[in-house]
Amino acid sequence: MARIMAKVKEPGRKIVAQNKKARHDYNILDEIECGLVLTGTEVKSLRAGRASLVDGFAEITNGEAWLHNVHIMEYAQGTWTNHAARRKRKLLMHKEEINKLDAKLRESGFTLVPLSLYFKDGRAKLMLALAQGKKLHDKRQTLREKQDRRETDRALSAVRRRAQG
C-alpha cells in the first residue's frame, strides 16, 4: 500500500520565467501568489516557455490589480486571433489582498514586481512581490555579503576535505 502511494506524483510547479534581477534591485518585503487572466494563445506561448518578466510591474487601479510590460511572445501557430506581446493583463487576487497592497503602495518607495511566472496544477500563476528599491550602496553591500558567504563556505569545505582525507 505504501509503495503505491509513493508512486503518485504531486503536481508541482513548472516555471516559465523568473525575474532574477528583481531580487538584486529591490528589497523584497512580501510575496503574493496570484492568477492571471490570459487568452488561449498566451497560455500556449507560456507552455512553450516564451515569456520575459524583466521590465514588468503591477499597479492597482480602481480596486483591480493589473500587470504591465510583461512580454509573452506571440504564439507561432497563432492566426489573426494572436495576442499583443506586451498588453496589460488583469491579476486575480482577493479583494482584501488588493486593499492591503493598495494601502502599502500609497506609501512612498513601494512597488509591485513580478518574481516568477509558472504553472501550478495546470493554471498560470504569478509570484508578485511588494518591494522597495535598493540604493547603489545597498546593492554593493549585498554583493559583498554574498561573496563573503561563498568564501567561508569554500574554506569550510576545504577544511572538511582535509580532515576526511
Side-chain angles (χ1 to χ4, degrees), residues 40-46 48 50 72-79 82-83:
T41 55
E42 286 175 325
V43 174
K44 289 183 177 209
S45 186
L46 285 178
R50 313 221 19 186
I72 298 176
M73 295 275 295
E74 289 185 356
Y75 184 57
Q77 283 79 35
T79 57
N82 228 334
H83 63 278

Side-chain angles (χ1 to χ4, degrees), residues 8-139:
V8 176
K9 285 188 177 180
E10 277 188 84
R13 290 184 182 185
K14 180 192 171 213
I15 295 178
V16 177
Q18 286 186 318
N19 190 356
K20 293 179 181 178
K21 195 172 181 186
R23 294 197 186 271
H24 176 67
D25 290 342
Y26 298 96
N27 286 324
I28 307 299
L29 304 174
D30 194 17
E31 293 182 1
I32 304 106
E33 181 182 71
C34 54
L36 291 155
V37 176
L38 299 171
T39 64
T41 55
E42 286 175 325
V43 174
K44 289 183 177 209
S45 186
L46 285 178
R47 289 200 188 281
R50 313 221 19 186
S52 173
L53 300 174
V54 174
D55 295 329
F57 67 95
E59 70 176 1
I60 297 174
T61 309
N62 297 330
E64 295 180 334
W66 293 89
L67 183 66
H68 297 273
N69 282 351
V70 170
H71 189 267
I72 298 176
M73 295 275 295
E74 289 185 356
Y75 184 57
Q77 283 79 35
T79 57
W80 56 273
T81 59
N82 228 334
H83 63 278
R86 285 199 185 268
R87 75 176 187 92
K88 77 177 191 178
R89 295 165 180 92
K90 188 173 181 179
L91 296 175
L92 303 173
M93 300 168 67
H94 291 282
K95 193 58 109 176
E96 302 88 49
E97 289 177 330
I98 292 174
N99 292 337
K100 189 168 68 170
L101 286 175
D102 194 24
K104 278 287 193 182
L105 289 175
R106 292 187 192 281
E107 298 176 23
S108 65
F110 291 106
T111 187
L112 290 172
V113 181
L115 295 179
S116 62
L117 185 58
Y118 54 91
F119 282 99
K120 181 179 176 184
D121 298 333
R123 298 181 188 220
K125 300 286 183 178
L126 180 79
M127 186 59 71
L128 197 63
L130 178 66
Q132 193 171 28
K134 282 186 184 178
K135 304 278 191 249
L136 183 60
H137 59 85
D138 291 336
K139 293 178 192 177

Side-chain angles (χ1 to χ4, degrees), residues 146-159:
K146 193 174 182 181
Q147 186 177 4
D148 291 343
R149 249 184 275 119
R150 197 176 299 135
E151 287 175 1
T152 55
D153 289 345
R154 283 182 187 155
L156 285 174
S157 64
V159 168

